[in-house]
Amino acid sequence: MTSTALPPQTTSTLFPVNFSVPSKEWLREQLVGKKLSEIRTPALVVDRFVVERNGREMRETAQKLGLRLRVHVKTHKTIEGTELQLGDGVTGIVVSTMAEAHYLINSHLVASGKLQDVILGIPISPDKLAEAHDLSRRIPRFHVLVDHISSLEAIEAYCVAREEEGEKNVKFSVWLKVDGGYSRAGVPPTNPSSLHLAQRLHTSPHTTFQGIYTHSGHSYSSTSPLESLEFLHQERDLSLSFRSTLLASGIPVPHISIGATPSVTSASQESSEDLRETSKSRWEGVTELHAGNFIFMDRQQIRTRAAIRGEADCAVTVLTRVLSMYPDRGTILVDAGALAMSKDSTMQGGYGQVLGTRGEDGEDGWTLTKISQEHGIMSGLRTAEEWEEVKVGEVMRVVPNHACLTAACFPFYVVVDGRGREATRGGVREREGQGEVEELVVVDVWVPVRGW
Amino acid sequence: MTSTALPPQTTSTLFPVNFSVPSKEWLREQLVGKKLSEIRTPALVVDRFVVERNGREMRETAQKLGLRLRVHVKTHKTIEGTELQLGDGVTGIVVSTMAEAHYLINSHLVASGKLQDVILGIPISPDKLAEAHDLSRRIPRFHVLVDHISSLEAIEAYCVAREEEGEKNVKFSVWLKVDGGYSRAGVPPTNPSSLHLAQRLHTSPHTTFQGIYTHSGHSYSSTSPLESLEFLHQERDLSLSFRSTLLASGIPVPHISIGATPSVTSASQESSEDLRETSKSRWEGVTELHAGNFIFMDRQQIRTRAAIRGEADCAVTVLTRVLSMYPDRGTILVDAGALAMSKDSTMQGGYGQVLGTRGEDGEDGWTLTKISQEHGIMSGLRTAEEWEEVKVGEVMRVVPNHACLTAACFPFYVVVDGRGREATRGGVREREGQGEVEELVVVDVWVPVRGW
């Protein structure tokens, strides 16, 4: 139980510079009530109506399956977004960074009992054990992921050291991260060393073994709910098969948590009856589903069809301003470049698409076809009328490829409410209406946490 | 001179949240003297020795050509980096955002006279005119780029409004942005409307026409100095040809500024004699070169061979920690994902490469082959010995694909000095030495400005 294999470790704690956030109240004073054209660009716009609907529909899907839902907060990293994901009844989250953990555990969500359970969703590194141990005392349940024997040894060494200092019964609550086929993190379920690690997690005096955690990130490659459902079933079956192996070796597996936005959303496509029937036999042992991106959605999820209503399901857009127009080249220059959109890609191509510009036959709309640091090049205007409409200085809303990476570009989010109206490129109008376009007005500001 | 064509504009000024930066002094107290293994990861590490050398060599190249150098600061967005780019004698910069302009114009660089001339390097949008006008009064020369008649009309309308309020002689110093073949921003030099815009800039009572500004961003596609030089010559000839058109129409062109890191660096490959000979005839009219990325360099510039010494010319690396190892899959998990590296690509493939791991025959080293938000998957370990060496919890330095986008991921930079030593993956050792690896120690912290 020593960790001679470990290199020297720092226990440097989170810097305030990575953790402090701008003042929401101050930003609200500056921004609430302003029209989109009055906002400094580029800016991230969140449609709260869509966030609420996406959250509700995901909870209904989990309910259909009779499974607990755990929401990933990395997409938005905000207190407000977490609250709308949790709704009534969900109490568990996954965080992608220690900064998110600190931010949310220090928020009113824990004090009010809405948030009770946090998993740090990336295998813990030895330098962050002290912080994790500290956090575990400020919320009912705080778990870490482990998928390497060295990490367990580091945990044990840390606990022994704390106990030598006089603290009693120092323990970490641990999930075993298992590779569900995505080949990113996680132990291979078929390897004997994985069983050995589970055994050690089960018997160690310094860990409470919670069970199996997988992530079907490869379900992002699917292009239909049926395909996504296939990924969910594969992940489920693989987890249950590994569970059987563990049970056969006398290792209890209290929990299995599986999922990703495309695969979990796809379950909503099955009828409740089918699901209930299936769940009796096939789902026994799986205790929860997890997903995160669903709360915002994006072009990648339009592609997987998790965003079943297309861009109407996308809660975030980048507000950008037209800087110039080059009709000779068929392009428009906007002020949303790579530092506002991120350079993540999607199968549809390009880096983002302007709301409300798709053709009637579903053809691509105005698309960011090229971006560099601060330049966004937009193409796809079809007619002389479209060219005539656009003005230097006007604002447009661009649906990003990958909402998680795009939201991470911004120090705060401007919140609007597009309820019951249809999006135009810079505002909204009555559904089915061809009339006047109305500008959206800022109703709130959300402040995410950044850094590590 | 009215701007009826313009949509309603905001004049919202820069939010402090986008402009205030963490305290350098506080960060120095926390970090200076620490070893890399004691730094919280992921973190951006800047080797000041390499920054200084890159800066000096670029100034020598411009000097060889007998041209003024203007440095782009978007790569680092810091006061310290700007100072090392300016060296002795360079006084002009390009900024990519208003935040950079505010930050540097408010710094000691202007007060000390080192910084005298700023170009906002993206066509100005109507909502930022008030700010630009304000900045122009706090530094000897502040210029904006224009490449659309609507922007000029917005400038004129703004100036008229100010003069109606009693201010005298309100003017903007303007460069005409010309497309040098990159097809990003800029007017097409062969289009009659471009000549018309230049004419308007020349005659408007509210603009001082400075000349032609181009950017050969397409030179990033080159893979040899000779190819890059070709891009530089094309850009030069295109600019000079457009200048002739303007001169023939009675429009003076006081300045031409051209360049990009690969093309400008390539000029260093020519002998001074050749260059002087050439410059007599071919360069007349071009007054300055501009480039920015050269100060940091990256894998993209290793590819263009602007980084002639390969990774030894790369001044920034991402410090990352090993979270887990999966020998079955041949991969290592590190804590530098897409939010630490950016998802920009390079022709070599992957998202970054670990310092000091290239094979002796130049084969690829340990490479980030897959990244998601917070996960970095590293491949390329070749031997059982290499696998044996790596430990969970150890730190490594990864050369990014595109330093500008990677640096933008971090709220501060950790500065080291690798002078006279050879990089290993986590530290340095004596050049040519096979002996003990020594950890680098933090000597300074730089704080960049973010946002728009």
Side-chain angles (χ1 to χ4, degrees):
Chain A
M1 283 187 206
T2 56
S3 65
T4 49
L6 283 173
Q9 289 304 315
T10 175
T11 54
S12 66
T13 51
L14 192 66
F15 280 140
V17 65
N18 271 339
F19 177 44
S20 71
V21 298
S23 156
K24 175 185 171 96
E25 283 319 307
W26 186 86
L27 287 165
R28 278 182 54 92
E29 280 166 31
Q30 308 303 312
L31 290 164
V32 169
K34 283 206 170 168
K35 293 177 183 174
L36 290 188
S37 67
E38 294 170 333
I39 304 298
R40 194 178 178 97
T41 49
L44 195 89
V45 178
V46 174
D47 188 332
R48 194 169 59 189
F49 164 68
V50 182
V51 168
E52 285 171 3
R53 185 174 63 192
N54 288 348
R56 191 174 58 244
E57 290 180 351
M58 180 55 89
R59 290 191 295 274
E60 286 166 2
T61 298
Q63 215 161 18
K64 260 192 189 179
L65 274 166
L67 292 172
R68 198 167 57 224
L69 178 66
R70 179 184 294 274
V71 293
H72 208 314
V73 303
K74 77 184 177 76
T75 304
H76 54 84
K77 299 175 182 248
T78 61
I79 298 165
E80 298 86 344
T82 304
E83 193 158 13
L84 293 178
Q85 276 179 311
L86 293 174
D88 274 333
V90 177
T91 55
I93 66 171
V94 192
V95 295
S96 69
T97 63
M98 276 294 188
E100 292 162 27
H102 280 275
Y103 190 45
L104 294 170
I105 289 176
N106 285 334
S107 78
H108 69 84
L109 296 174
V110 171
S112 65
K114 285 189 179 177
L115 173 59
Q116 301 176 16
D117 190 307
V118 173
I119 293 180
L120 175 63
I122 184 163
I124 186 140
S125 67
D127 64 308
K128 298 200 168 75
L129 291 171
E131 241 169 278
H133 181 55
D134 176 53
L135 285 172
S136 71
R137 289 181 290 193
R138 293 192 274 141
I139 183 165
R141 291 175 295 287
F142 185 85
H143 319 278
V144 298
L145 299 185
V146 166
D147 65 359
H148 196 280
I149 193 82
S150 293
S151 307
L152 171 60
E153 286 169 355
I155 286 174
E156 291 180 328
Y158 174 80
C159 293
V160 166
R162 295 298 291 245
E163 291 185 350
E164 281 169 6
E165 288 165 13
E167 200 173 326
K168 298 270 182 256
N169 198 23
V170 183
K171 283 189 137 185
F172 282 75
S173 175
V174 176
W175 294 67
L176 177 60
K177 169 89 180 176
V178 175
D179 176 28
Y182 186 35
S183 300
R184 186 176 68 177
V187 296
T190 51
N191 191 311
S193 69
S194 306
L195 174 61
H196 173 68
L197 178 56
Q199 187 77 54
R200 289 277 308 267
L201 291 173
H202 170 53
T203 56
S204 170
H206 299 295
T207 54
T208 305
F209 180 53
Q210 295 292 344
I212 296 167
Y213 186 96
T214 68
H215 170 68
S216 53
H218 48 324
S219 69
Y220 276 60
S221 68
S222 64
T223 56
S224 73
L226 212 66
E227 227 180 304
S228 296
L229 197 60
E230 196 55 42
F231 281 111
L232 187 69
H233 291 165
Q234 279 171 18
E235 192 182 2
R236 175 197 64 192
D237 297 343
L238 173 148
S239 303
L240 288 174
S241 155
F242 188 53
R243 172 176 175 263
S244 301
T245 308
L246 299 192
L247 293 178
S249 300
I251 307 167
V253 183
H255 304 285
I256 293 181
S257 185
I258 69 172
T261 285
S263 57
V264 175
T265 312
S266 67
S268 70
Q269 306 295 305
E270 301 209 336
S271 78
S272 302
E273 291 68 29
D274 284 356
L275 283 167
R276 264 196 293 275
E277 199 49 47
T278 321
S279 64
K280 279 183 191 149
S281 53
R282 299 268 174 85
W283 287 86
E284 203 185 315
V286 176
T287 52
E288 66 176 35
L289 298 171
H290 56 251
N293 179 281
F294 71 89
I295 199 71
F296 277 175
M297 299 289 194
D298 48 34
R299 293 183 80 211
Q300 289 182 350
Q301 300 299 353
I302 291 175
R303 170 80 180 185
T304 68
R305 295 201 29 222
I308 43 170
R309 298 178 192 86
E311 64 184 33
D313 275 344
C314 295
V316 297
T317 47
V318 173
L319 186 74
T320 186
R321 214 170 226 102
V322 176
L323 299 182
S324 193
M325 295 186 279
Y326 314 107
D328 290 16
R329 300 197 286 272
T331 58
I332 289 174
L333 177 68
V334 298
D335 65 3
L339 291 192
M341 301 304 304
S342 96
K343 287 206 80 165
D344 214 353
S345 56
T346 184
M347 293 299 288
Q348 298 98 306
Y351 296 96
Q353 188 167 306
V354 181
L355 271 185
T357 61
R358 292 187 78 82
E360 287 183 6
D361 56 353
E363 66 191 303
D364 278 351
W366 303 1
T367 306
L368 282 177
T369 41
K370 200 164 88 169
I371 54 175
S372 48
Q373 189 161 345
E374 301 292 350
H375 293 74
I377 296 297
M378 194 174 284
S379 308
L381 278 73
R382 284 158 293 219
T383 61
E385 288 72 34
E386 287 192 339
W387 277 100
E388 193 57 37
E389 271 177 34
V390 183
K391 303 287 178 228
V392 168
E394 81 161 79
V395 292
M396 298 181 183
R397 288 185 290 160
V398 181
V399 181
N401 287 348
H402 186 181
C404 310
L405 298 196
T406 302
C409 296
F410 294 89
F412 60 87
Y413 312 153
V414 161
V415 182
V416 297
D417 192 331
R419 191 177 311 265
R421 288 172 295 180
E422 184 180 29
T424 66
R425 66 174 189 268
V428 287
R429 67 176 153 231
E430 294 297 315
R431 280 208 189 285
E432 314 294 328
Q434 294 303 315
E436 197 72 357
V437 171
E438 183 189 341
E439 275 201 69
L440 282 161
V441 166
V442 178
V443 297
D444 199 5
V445 180
W446 293 357
V447 181
V449 70
R450 297 274 166 253
W452 305 272
Chain B
M1 283 188 205
T2 56
S3 65
T4 49
L6 283 173
Q9 290 304 315
T10 174
T11 53
S12 66
T13 51
L14 193 66
F15 280 141
V17 65
N18 271 339
F19 177 44
S20 71
V21 299
S23 155
K24 175 185 172 98
E25 282 320 307
W26 186 86
L27 287 165
R28 278 182 54 93
E29 280 167 31
Q30 308 302 312
L31 289 164
V32 169
K34 283 205 171 170
K35 293 177 182 172
L36 289 188
S37 67
E38 294 170 333
I39 304 298
R40 192 177 180 97
T41 49
L44 195 89
V45 178
V46 174
D47 188 332
R48 195 169 56 189
F49 164 68
V50 182
V51 168
E52 284 171 4
R53 185 175 62 191
N54 288 348
R56 191 174 58 245
E57 290 180 351
M58 180 55 88
R59 290 191 295 273
E60 286 166 1
T61 298
Q63 216 160 18
K64 260 193 190 178
L65 275 167
L67 291 173
R68 198 167 58 224
L69 178 65
R70 180 185 294 275
V71 293
H72 208 314
V73 303
K74 76 184 177 76
T75 304
H76 54 84
K77 299 174 182 249
T78 62
I79 297 164
E80 298 86 344
T82 303
E83 194 158 13
L84 293 178
Q85 276 179 311
L86 292 175
D88 274 333
V90 177
T91 55
I93 66 171
V94 192
V95 296
S96 69
T97 62
M98 276 293 189
E100 291 162 27
H102 280 275
Y103 190 45
L104 295 170
I105 290 176
N106 286 334
S107 78
H108 69 84
L109 296 174
V110 171
S112 65
K114 285 188 179 178
L115 174 59
Q116 300 175 16
D117 190 307
V118 173
I119 293 180
L120 175 63
I122 184 163
I124 186 141
S125 66
D127 63 307
K128 298 201 168 76
L129 290 171
E131 241 169 279
H133 181 55
D134 176 53
L135 285 171
S136 71
R137 289 181 290 193
R138 293 194 273 142
I139 183 164
R141 291 176 294 286
F142 185 85
H143 319 277
V144 298
L145 299 184
V146 166
D147 66 358
H148 197 280
I149 193 82
S150 294
S151 307
L152 171 59
E153 286 169 354
I155 287 174
E156 291 180 328
Y158 174 80
C159 293
V160 167
R162 295 299 291 245
E163 292 185 350
E164 281 169 4
E165 288 165 14
E167 201 173 326
K168 299 270 181 258
N169 198 23
V170 183
K171 282 189 136 185
F172 282 75
S173 174
V174 176
W175 293 66
L176 177 60
K177 169 89 180 177
V178 174
D179 176 28
Y182 186 35
S183 299
R184 186 176 68 176
V187 296
T190 51
N191 192 311
S193 69
S194 307
L195 173 60
H196 173 68
L197 178 56
Q199 187 77 54
R200 289 278 307 267
L201 291 173
H202 170 54
T203 56
S204 170
H206 299 295
T207 55
T208 305
F209 180 52
Q210 295 292 343
I212 296 167
Y213 186 96
T214 68
H215 170 68
S216 53
H218 48 324
S219 69
Y220 275 61
S221 69
S222 64
T223 56
S224 74
L226 212 65
E227 226 180 305
S228 297
L229 198 59
E230 196 56 42
F231 280 111
L232 187 69
H233 290 165
Q234 279 171 18
E235 193 182 1
R236 175 198 63 191
D237 297 343
L238 173 147
S239 303
L240 288 175
S241 155
F242 187 53
R243 172 177 176 263
S244 301
T245 308
L246 299 192
L247 293 178
S249 300
I251 307 167
V253 183
H255 305 286
I256 293 181
S257 184
I258 69 172
T261 285
S263 57
V264 175
T265 311
S266 67
S268 70
Q269 306 294 304
E270 302 209 335
S271 78
S272 302
E273 291 68 29
D274 284 356
L275 283 168
R276 264 196 293 275
E277 199 48 48
T278 320
S279 64
K280 279 183 193 150
S281 52
R282 299 267 174 86
W283 287 86
E284 203 186 314
V286 176
T287 52
E288 66 177 35
L289 298 171
H290 56 251
N293 179 281
F294 71 89
I295 199 72
F296 277 175
M297 299 289 194
D298 48 34
R299 293 182 80 213
Q300 289 182 351
Q301 301 299 354
I302 291 176
R303 170 80 180 185
T304 67
R305 295 202 28 225
I308 44 172
R309 298 178 191 86
E311 64 184 33
D313 275 344
C314 296
V316 297
T317 47
V318 173
L319 186 75
T320 185
R321 216 171 224 101
V322 176
L323 300 181
S324 193
M325 295 186 279
Y326 314 107
D328 289 17
R329 300 197 285 272
T331 59
I332 289 174
L333 177 67
V334 298
D335 65 3
L339 291 192
M341 302 303 304
S342 96
K343 287 206 80 165
D344 214 353
S345 56
T346 184
M347 293 299 287
Q348 298 98 307
Y351 297 96
Q353 188 166 307
V354 181
L355 271 186
T357 60
R358 292 187 77 82
E360 288 182 8
D361 57 353
E363 66 192 301
D364 278 350
W366 303 1
T367 306
L368 282 177
T369 41
K370 200 164 86 169
I371 54 175
S372 48
Q373 189 161 346
E374 300 292 350
H375 294 74
I377 296 297
M378 194 175 283
S379 307
L381 279 72
R382 282 157 293 219
T383 61
E385 288 72 34
E386 286 191 340
W387 277 100
E388 193 57 37
E389 271 177 34
V390 183
K391 303 287 179 228
V392 167
E394 82 161 78
V395 293
M396 298 181 184
R397 287 185 291 160
V398 181
V399 181
N401 287 348
H402 186 181
C404 309
L405 298 197
T406 302
C409 296
F410 295 88
F412 60 88
Y413 313 153
V414 161
V415 182
V416 298
D417 192 331
R419 191 177 311 265
R421 288 173 294 181
E422 183 180 31
T424 65
R425 66 174 190 268
V428 288
R429 66 176 154 232
E430 293 298 315
R431 281 209 189 284
E432 314 294 329
Q434 295 303 315
E436 196 73 358
V437 171
E438 183 189 340
E439 276 199 68
L440 282 161
V441 166
V442 178
V443 297
D444 199 4
V445 181
W446 293 357
V447 181
V449 70
R450 297 275 166 252
W452 304 272

